mmCIF file of all heavy atoms in Angstrom:
data_model
loop_
_atom_site.group_PDB
_atom_site.id
_atom_site.type_symbol
_atom_site.label_atom_id
_atom_site.label_comp_id
_atom_site.label_asym_id
_atom_site.label_seq_id
_atom_site.Cartn_x
_atom_site.Cartn_y
_atom_site.Cartn_z
ATOM 1 N N GLY Z 26 -2.441 -3.304 22.619
ATOM 2 C CA GLY Z 26 -1.402 -3.923 23.432
ATOM 3 C C GLY Z 26 -0.021 -3.937 22.818
ATOM 4 O O GLY Z 26 0.904 -4.539 23.388
ATOM 5 N N LEU Z 27 0.171 -3.270 21.673
ATOM 6 C CA LEU Z 27 1.483 -3.250 21.042
ATOM 7 C C LEU Z 27 2.385 -2.218 21.716
ATOM 8 O O LEU Z 27 1.913 -1.180 22.194
ATOM 9 C CB LEU Z 27 1.370 -2.914 19.551
ATOM 10 C CG LEU Z 27 1.113 -4.088 18.590
ATOM 11 C CD1 LEU Z 27 -0.247 -4.716 18.864
ATOM 12 C CD2 LEU Z 27 1.197 -3.606 17.146
ATOM 13 N N SER Z 28 3.679 -2.503 21.740
ATOM 14 C CA SER Z 28 4.643 -1.528 22.240
ATOM 15 C C SER Z 28 4.832 -0.424 21.203
ATOM 16 O O SER Z 28 4.365 -0.537 20.057
ATOM 17 C CB SER Z 28 5.990 -2.204 22.499
ATOM 18 O OG SER Z 28 6.587 -2.617 21.282
ATOM 19 N N LYS Z 29 5.530 0.650 21.605
ATOM 20 C CA LYS Z 29 5.763 1.759 20.679
ATOM 21 C C LYS Z 29 6.538 1.296 19.455
ATOM 22 O O LYS Z 29 6.232 1.682 18.321
ATOM 23 C CB LYS Z 29 6.526 2.877 21.401
ATOM 24 C CG LYS Z 29 6.708 4.124 20.561
ATOM 25 C CD LYS Z 29 7.396 5.226 21.345
ATOM 26 C CE LYS Z 29 7.579 6.473 20.484
ATOM 27 N NZ LYS Z 29 8.260 7.560 21.232
ATOM 28 N N LEU Z 30 7.539 0.436 19.649
ATOM 29 C CA LEU Z 30 8.333 -0.078 18.534
ATOM 30 C C LEU Z 30 7.482 -0.929 17.601
ATOM 31 O O LEU Z 30 7.557 -0.806 16.368
ATOM 32 C CB LEU Z 30 9.513 -0.892 19.063
ATOM 33 C CG LEU Z 30 10.476 -1.475 18.010
ATOM 34 C CD1 LEU Z 30 11.127 -0.346 17.203
ATOM 35 C CD2 LEU Z 30 11.528 -2.349 18.666
ATOM 36 N N GLN Z 31 6.639 -1.795 18.188
ATOM 37 C CA GLN Z 31 5.768 -2.636 17.368
ATOM 38 C C GLN Z 31 4.766 -1.798 16.579
ATOM 39 O O GLN Z 31 4.493 -2.071 15.406
ATOM 40 C CB GLN Z 31 5.039 -3.643 18.258
ATOM 41 C CG GLN Z 31 5.938 -4.719 18.841
ATOM 42 C CD GLN Z 31 5.231 -5.554 19.892
ATOM 43 O OE1 GLN Z 31 4.318 -5.088 20.586
ATOM 44 N NE2 GLN Z 31 5.643 -6.817 20.025
ATOM 45 N N ALA Z 32 4.217 -0.761 17.214
ATOM 46 C CA ALA Z 32 3.286 0.134 16.529
ATOM 47 C C ALA Z 32 3.973 0.858 15.373
ATOM 48 O O ALA Z 32 3.364 1.078 14.314
ATOM 49 C CB ALA Z 32 2.704 1.151 17.513
ATOM 50 N N ASN Z 33 5.265 1.215 15.556
ATOM 51 C CA ASN Z 33 6.021 1.855 14.478
ATOM 52 C C ASN Z 33 6.202 0.913 13.294
ATOM 53 O O ASN Z 33 6.161 1.343 12.129
ATOM 54 C CB ASN Z 33 7.389 2.322 14.984
ATOM 55 C CG ASN Z 33 7.300 3.609 15.782
ATOM 56 O OD1 ASN Z 33 6.347 4.378 15.629
ATOM 57 N ND2 ASN Z 33 8.269 3.852 16.644
ATOM 58 N N TYR Z 34 6.405 -0.371 13.579
ATOM 59 C CA TYR Z 34 6.519 -1.346 12.497
ATOM 60 C C TYR Z 34 5.212 -1.427 11.694
ATOM 61 O O TYR Z 34 5.231 -1.524 10.459
ATOM 62 C CB TYR Z 34 6.866 -2.731 13.054
ATOM 63 C CG TYR Z 34 8.313 -2.887 13.477
ATOM 64 C CD1 TYR Z 34 8.655 -3.548 14.650
ATOM 65 C CD2 TYR Z 34 9.341 -2.369 12.691
ATOM 66 C CE1 TYR Z 34 9.977 -3.696 15.044
ATOM 67 C CE2 TYR Z 34 10.669 -2.510 13.079
ATOM 68 C CZ TYR Z 34 10.985 -3.168 14.250
ATOM 69 O OH TYR Z 34 12.290 -3.305 14.628
ATOM 70 N N VAL Z 35 4.087 -1.387 12.395
ATOM 71 C CA VAL Z 35 2.795 -1.407 11.718
ATOM 72 C C VAL Z 35 2.623 -0.154 10.857
ATOM 73 O O VAL Z 35 2.177 -0.230 9.703
ATOM 74 C CB VAL Z 35 1.645 -1.526 12.745
ATOM 75 C CG1 VAL Z 35 0.293 -1.418 12.052
ATOM 76 C CG2 VAL Z 35 1.731 -2.849 13.499
ATOM 77 N N GLN Z 36 3.016 1.010 11.404
ATOM 78 C CA GLN Z 36 2.923 2.262 10.652
ATOM 79 C C GLN Z 36 3.825 2.228 9.411
ATOM 80 O O GLN Z 36 3.429 2.685 8.326
ATOM 81 C CB GLN Z 36 3.332 3.438 11.551
ATOM 82 C CG GLN Z 36 3.239 4.810 10.887
ATOM 83 C CD GLN Z 36 1.829 5.356 10.855
ATOM 84 O OE1 GLN Z 36 0.933 4.802 11.502
ATOM 85 N NE2 GLN Z 36 1.608 6.409 10.100
ATOM 86 N N MET Z 37 5.020 1.693 9.550
ATOM 87 C CA MET Z 37 5.925 1.585 8.406
ATOM 88 C C MET Z 37 5.357 0.633 7.354
ATOM 89 O O MET Z 37 5.495 0.871 6.149
ATOM 90 C CB MET Z 37 7.307 1.124 8.864
ATOM 91 C CG MET Z 37 8.066 2.176 9.661
ATOM 92 S SD MET Z 37 9.720 1.656 10.185
ATOM 93 C CE MET Z 37 10.586 1.709 8.614
ATOM 94 N N GLY Z 38 4.676 -0.436 7.809
ATOM 95 C CA GLY Z 38 4.017 -1.336 6.867
ATOM 96 C C GLY Z 38 2.955 -0.622 6.053
ATOM 97 O O GLY Z 38 2.831 -0.845 4.837
ATOM 98 N N TYR Z 39 2.226 0.262 6.712
ATOM 99 C CA TYR Z 39 1.201 1.064 6.027
ATOM 100 C C TYR Z 39 1.841 1.931 4.941
ATOM 101 O O TYR Z 39 1.335 2.022 3.821
ATOM 102 C CB TYR Z 39 0.483 1.926 7.061
ATOM 103 C CG TYR Z 39 -0.632 2.789 6.521
ATOM 104 C CD1 TYR Z 39 -1.849 2.231 6.138
ATOM 105 C CD2 TYR Z 39 -0.489 4.163 6.412
ATOM 106 C CE1 TYR Z 39 -2.877 3.028 5.658
ATOM 107 C CE2 TYR Z 39 -1.501 4.971 5.935
ATOM 108 C CZ TYR Z 39 -2.696 4.398 5.562
ATOM 109 O OH TYR Z 39 -3.709 5.195 5.087
ATOM 110 N N ASN Z 40 2.982 2.569 5.257
ATOM 111 C CA ASN Z 40 3.660 3.427 4.283
ATOM 112 C C ASN Z 40 4.262 2.626 3.129
ATOM 113 O O ASN Z 40 4.202 3.051 1.970
ATOM 114 C CB ASN Z 40 4.754 4.247 4.978
ATOM 115 C CG ASN Z 40 4.194 5.434 5.741
ATOM 116 O OD1 ASN Z 40 3.309 6.120 5.262
ATOM 117 N ND2 ASN Z 40 4.692 5.667 6.941
ATOM 118 N N VAL Z 41 4.842 1.467 3.440
ATOM 119 C CA VAL Z 41 5.404 0.619 2.386
ATOM 120 C C VAL Z 41 4.294 0.156 1.443
ATOM 121 O O VAL Z 41 4.437 0.195 0.208
ATOM 122 C CB VAL Z 41 6.140 -0.595 2.991
ATOM 123 C CG1 VAL Z 41 6.486 -1.619 1.909
ATOM 124 C CG2 VAL Z 41 7.406 -0.136 3.702
ATOM 125 N N GLY Z 42 3.169 -0.278 2.016
ATOM 126 C CA GLY Z 42 2.026 -0.658 1.188
ATOM 127 C C GLY Z 42 1.536 0.493 0.338
ATOM 128 O O GLY Z 42 1.150 0.310 -0.825
ATOM 129 N N GLY Z 43 1.562 1.712 0.903
ATOM 130 C CA GLY Z 43 1.140 2.894 0.156
ATOM 131 C C GLY Z 43 2.019 3.166 -1.045
ATOM 132 O O GLY Z 43 1.524 3.527 -2.120
ATOM 133 N N ILE Z 44 3.339 3.007 -0.888
ATOM 134 C CA ILE Z 44 4.263 3.217 -2.009
ATOM 135 C C ILE Z 44 3.966 2.229 -3.133
ATOM 136 O O ILE Z 44 3.851 2.606 -4.313
ATOM 137 C CB ILE Z 44 5.724 3.073 -1.542
ATOM 138 C CG1 ILE Z 44 6.083 4.185 -0.548
ATOM 139 C CG2 ILE Z 44 6.680 3.121 -2.738
ATOM 140 C CD1 ILE Z 44 7.420 3.969 0.144
ATOM 141 N N LEU Z 45 3.829 0.949 -2.762
ATOM 142 C CA LEU Z 45 3.564 -0.086 -3.769
ATOM 143 C C LEU Z 45 2.202 0.118 -4.429
ATOM 144 O O LEU Z 45 2.070 0.034 -5.654
ATOM 145 C CB LEU Z 45 3.627 -1.472 -3.116
ATOM 146 C CG LEU Z 45 4.980 -1.881 -2.510
ATOM 147 C CD1 LEU Z 45 4.848 -3.204 -1.774
ATOM 148 C CD2 LEU Z 45 6.052 -1.969 -3.588
ATOM 149 N N GLY Z 46 1.205 0.417 -3.602
ATOM 150 C CA GLY Z 46 -0.153 0.547 -4.124
ATOM 151 C C GLY Z 46 -0.330 1.745 -5.030
ATOM 152 O O GLY Z 46 -1.040 1.672 -6.045
ATOM 153 N N SER Z 47 0.314 2.870 -4.686
ATOM 154 C CA SER Z 47 0.131 4.081 -5.486
ATOM 155 C C SER Z 47 0.670 3.910 -6.900
ATOM 156 O O SER Z 47 0.152 4.507 -7.844
ATOM 157 C CB SER Z 47 0.802 5.276 -4.806
ATOM 158 O OG SER Z 47 2.175 5.056 -4.631
ATOM 159 N N ILE Z 48 1.691 3.078 -7.068
ATOM 160 C CA ILE Z 48 2.208 2.794 -8.413
ATOM 161 C C ILE Z 48 1.358 1.725 -9.095
ATOM 162 O O ILE Z 48 0.918 1.883 -10.239
ATOM 163 C CB ILE Z 48 3.677 2.347 -8.351
ATOM 164 C CG1 ILE Z 48 4.550 3.467 -7.770
ATOM 165 C CG2 ILE Z 48 4.181 1.940 -9.737
ATOM 166 C CD1 ILE Z 48 5.986 3.068 -7.535
ATOM 167 N N LEU Z 49 1.103 0.629 -8.372
ATOM 168 C CA LEU Z 49 0.420 -0.523 -8.959
ATOM 169 C C LEU Z 49 -0.976 -0.188 -9.457
ATOM 170 O O LEU Z 49 -1.360 -0.557 -10.578
ATOM 171 C CB LEU Z 49 0.352 -1.651 -7.927
ATOM 172 C CG LEU Z 49 -0.390 -2.928 -8.356
ATOM 173 C CD1 LEU Z 49 0.306 -3.577 -9.538
ATOM 174 C CD2 LEU Z 49 -0.499 -3.897 -7.183
ATOM 175 N N MET Z 50 -1.759 0.530 -8.656
ATOM 176 C CA MET Z 50 -3.152 0.782 -9.029
ATOM 177 C C MET Z 50 -3.264 1.683 -10.252
ATOM 178 O O MET Z 50 -4.163 1.518 -11.086
ATOM 179 C CB MET Z 50 -3.914 1.386 -7.848
ATOM 180 C CG MET Z 50 -4.002 0.465 -6.641
ATOM 181 S SD MET Z 50 -4.627 -1.184 -7.072
ATOM 182 C CE MET Z 50 -4.121 -2.112 -5.621
ATOM 183 N N GLY Z 51 -2.357 2.645 -10.377
ATOM 184 C CA GLY Z 51 -2.369 3.494 -11.568
ATOM 185 C C GLY Z 51 -2.026 2.714 -12.826
ATOM 186 O O GLY Z 51 -2.634 2.917 -13.886
ATOM 187 N N VAL Z 52 -1.046 1.797 -12.716
ATOM 188 C CA VAL Z 52 -0.681 0.953 -13.862
ATOM 189 C C VAL Z 52 -1.867 0.080 -14.265
ATOM 190 O O VAL Z 52 -2.204 -0.046 -15.458
ATOM 191 C CB VAL Z 52 0.544 0.079 -13.518
ATOM 192 C CG1 VAL Z 52 0.812 -0.932 -14.639
ATOM 193 C CG2 VAL Z 52 1.769 0.947 -13.288
ATOM 194 N N LEU Z 53 -2.531 -0.521 -13.265
ATOM 195 C CA LEU Z 53 -3.695 -1.364 -13.557
ATOM 196 C C LEU Z 53 -4.824 -0.559 -14.184
ATOM 197 O O LEU Z 53 -5.542 -1.051 -15.058
ATOM 198 C CB LEU Z 53 -4.189 -2.035 -12.269
ATOM 199 C CG LEU Z 53 -3.271 -3.084 -11.640
ATOM 200 C CD1 LEU Z 53 -3.884 -3.641 -10.366
ATOM 201 C CD2 LEU Z 53 -2.974 -4.209 -12.625
ATOM 202 N N LEU Z 54 -4.968 0.699 -13.752
ATOM 203 C CA LEU Z 54 -6.026 1.558 -14.291
ATOM 204 C C LEU Z 54 -5.848 1.771 -15.786
ATOM 205 O O LEU Z 54 -6.826 1.878 -16.534
ATOM 206 C CB LEU Z 54 -6.013 2.909 -13.563
ATOM 207 C CG LEU Z 54 -7.284 3.757 -13.607
ATOM 208 C CD1 LEU Z 54 -8.450 3.038 -12.961
ATOM 209 C CD2 LEU Z 54 -7.047 5.097 -12.917
ATOM 210 N N ASP Z 55 -4.582 1.833 -16.240
ATOM 211 C CA ASP Z 55 -4.298 2.000 -17.668
ATOM 212 C C ASP Z 55 -4.375 0.691 -18.437
ATOM 213 O O ASP Z 55 -4.653 0.685 -19.632
ATOM 214 C CB ASP Z 55 -2.899 2.606 -17.863
ATOM 215 C CG ASP Z 55 -2.836 4.076 -17.464
ATOM 216 O OD1 ASP Z 55 -3.885 4.742 -17.500
ATOM 217 O OD2 ASP Z 55 -1.741 4.551 -17.113
ATOM 218 N N LYS Z 56 -4.113 -0.437 -17.758
ATOM 219 C CA LYS Z 56 -4.017 -1.726 -18.445
ATOM 220 C C LYS Z 56 -5.340 -2.487 -18.486
ATOM 221 O O LYS Z 56 -5.614 -3.224 -19.439
ATOM 222 C CB LYS Z 56 -2.961 -2.605 -17.757
ATOM 223 C CG LYS Z 56 -1.556 -2.017 -17.721
ATOM 224 C CD LYS Z 56 -0.904 -2.027 -19.090
ATOM 225 C CE LYS Z 56 0.545 -1.551 -18.999
ATOM 226 N NZ LYS Z 56 1.172 -1.470 -20.338
ATOM 227 N N LEU Z 57 -6.146 -2.363 -17.436
ATOM 228 C CA LEU Z 57 -7.364 -3.162 -17.299
ATOM 229 C C LEU Z 57 -8.612 -2.286 -17.354
ATOM 230 O O LEU Z 57 -8.526 -1.058 -17.337
ATOM 231 C CB LEU Z 57 -7.325 -3.944 -15.975
ATOM 232 C CG LEU Z 57 -6.115 -4.854 -15.757
ATOM 233 C CD1 LEU Z 57 -6.163 -5.457 -14.359
ATOM 234 C CD2 LEU Z 57 -6.048 -5.951 -16.817
ATOM 235 N N ARG Z 58 -9.758 -2.930 -17.387
ATOM 236 C CA ARG Z 58 -11.021 -2.210 -17.385
ATOM 237 C C ARG Z 58 -11.173 -1.439 -16.075
ATOM 238 O O ARG Z 58 -10.944 -1.976 -14.991
ATOM 239 C CB ARG Z 58 -12.164 -3.206 -17.557
ATOM 240 C CG ARG Z 58 -13.435 -2.595 -18.122
ATOM 241 C CD ARG Z 58 -14.436 -3.646 -18.549
ATOM 242 N NE ARG Z 58 -14.919 -4.408 -17.392
ATOM 243 C CZ ARG Z 58 -14.616 -5.670 -17.165
ATOM 244 N NH1 ARG Z 58 -13.836 -6.332 -17.999
ATOM 245 N NH2 ARG Z 58 -15.100 -6.302 -16.106
ATOM 246 N N MET Z 59 -11.548 -0.166 -16.169
ATOM 247 C CA MET Z 59 -11.581 0.691 -14.983
ATOM 248 C C MET Z 59 -12.509 0.145 -13.908
ATOM 249 O O MET Z 59 -12.192 0.211 -12.720
ATOM 250 C CB MET Z 59 -11.975 2.123 -15.368
ATOM 251 C CG MET Z 59 -10.857 2.906 -16.025
ATOM 252 S SD MET Z 59 -11.186 4.698 -16.046
ATOM 253 C CE MET Z 59 -12.563 4.765 -17.182
ATOM 254 N N SER Z 60 -13.661 -0.375 -14.290
ATOM 255 C CA SER Z 60 -14.610 -0.875 -13.297
ATOM 256 C C SER Z 60 -14.016 -2.049 -12.520
ATOM 257 O O SER Z 60 -14.238 -2.180 -11.310
ATOM 258 C CB SER Z 60 -15.922 -1.288 -13.977
ATOM 259 O OG SER Z 60 -15.688 -2.309 -14.940
ATOM 260 N N PHE Z 61 -13.223 -2.902 -13.194
ATOM 261 C CA PHE Z 61 -12.578 -4.029 -12.515
ATOM 262 C C PHE Z 61 -11.564 -3.520 -11.493
ATOM 263 O O PHE Z 61 -11.487 -4.041 -10.372
ATOM 264 C CB PHE Z 61 -11.886 -4.935 -13.537
ATOM 265 C CG PHE Z 61 -11.067 -6.033 -12.908
ATOM 266 C CD1 PHE Z 61 -11.680 -7.183 -12.425
ATOM 267 C CD2 PHE Z 61 -9.682 -5.910 -12.784
ATOM 268 C CE1 PHE Z 61 -10.929 -8.189 -11.824
ATOM 269 C CE2 PHE Z 61 -8.928 -6.906 -12.189
ATOM 270 C CZ PHE Z 61 -9.556 -8.052 -11.713
#
């Protein structure tokens, strides 16, 4: 039921999360136990 503009905001949220996550998870992989 979202409009095209609202759906674009959700898609942009996905990309913003991807930018943050791709950096953060690699840093954590080097700093913390891999299994954690």
Side-chain angles (χ1 to χ4, degrees):
L27 274 65
S28 68
K29 185 177 180 180
L30 182 61
Q31 290 171 331
N33 282 337
Y34 284 138
V35 175
Q36 182 80 11
M37 290 181 72
Y39 182 73
N40 282 318
V41 169
I44 295 170
L45 298 174
S47 59
I48 298 174
L49 178 63
M50 297 308 163
V52 173
L53 292 179
L54 201 61
D55 288 335
K56 301 288 185 184
L57 304 175
R58 203 168 65 250
M59 284 196 292
S60 60
F61 173 79

